[in-house]
Amino acid sequence: MSDAFVTNAPPDDPAGRILWRISRWCAIAGGALMAFSAVLTTLSIALNALFKAPIRGEYEIVGFGTSLAIYLFLPYCQFVRGNVVVDFFLARASSRLREALDAAGGLIYFVISALLIWRMSVGGLELHAQKQATAVLKIPYWWSFPVLLFCLGLLAAVTVNGIAANVRRARS
């Protein structure tokens, strides 16, 4: 994925602009969750050091917040081409070839996101049926799965939008 196309500007197509806005708000929410997790951890450490009374269930809350944040970041990261890329072999390739390879990579990423949606749906339903919950706060594990699945669905849509953009640029 060429640095020439790394951008923080919204896409030109209407569907892309909608996906862009949703992805940005998800990334902002992920950042807020990470900030909350950092504050909660710091507060728990301080309370433990001062009063030997850490925040009960802090580890569970931070675990949920961090995992949700990671999934919330994925669609925006895909939009800005923030995933790890090695361009060394394509530095001198034509833009058409780079776009075609980016589209192929996007297709692979779409298949992976679709597989994750399927398997996480199954896993979330199993956790719901088994009524598994965290040890301290008794938070059901399945509660995070609707958000995770939404994020993966958004990632799949963003990836398809990116593939379409790659194909348009490769043809021009």
Side-chain angles (χ1 to χ4, degrees):
M1 294 181 201
S2 173
D3 289 337
F5 294 111
V6 174
T7 179
N8 287 328
D12 296 334
D13 60 303
R17 284 193 300 271
I18 292 168
L19 291 171
W20 171 263
R21 281 191 211 106
I22 296 169
S23 296
R24 281 192 57 214
W25 280 109
C26 284
I28 290 167
L33 273 172
M34 290 302 294
F36 172 77
S37 295
V39 169
L40 184 67
T41 300
T42 303
L43 185 59
S44 184
I45 291 169
L47 289 171
N48 190 38
L50 295 172
F51 307 110
K52 301 291 185 227
I55 296 173
R56 188 173 180 269
E58 168 257 340
Y59 183 79
E60 294 171 354
I61 295 168
V62 169
F64 271 108
T66 304
S67 66
L68 286 172
I70 290 168
Y71 280 86
L72 286 164
F73 292 142
L74 286 174
Y76 184 75
C77 183
Q78 179 66 12
F79 245 125
V80 297
R81 296 179 176 210
N83 293 312
V84 176
V85 173
V86 179
D87 294 10
F88 180 75
F89 298 106
L90 299 176
R92 299 187 200 277
S94 69
S95 62
R96 183 172 282 186
L97 175 61
R98 284 193 309 263
E99 292 295 343
L101 290 174
D102 282 350
L107 182 61
I108 293 167
Y109 200 35
F110 171 77
V111 169
I112 291 168
S113 63
L115 287 171
L116 283 171
I117 290 169
W118 167 49
R119 293 312 304 162
M120 289 193 68
S121 298
V122 171
L125 290 171
E126 286 177 4
L127 286 173
H128 182 268
Q130 295 171 2
K131 298 182 179 12
Q132 289 189 15
T134 61
V136 177
L137 297 177
K138 305 296 184 213
I139 301 168
Y141 284 115
W142 72 267
W143 281 8
S144 62
F145 277 73
V147 177
L148 302 180
L149 291 171
F150 169 79
C151 292
L152 286 172
L154 181 59
L155 174 62
V158 166
T159 304
V160 168
N161 183 267
I163 293 168
N166 290 129
V167 169
R168 280 194 304 273
R169 287 191 297 261
R171 287 183 177 172
S172 61

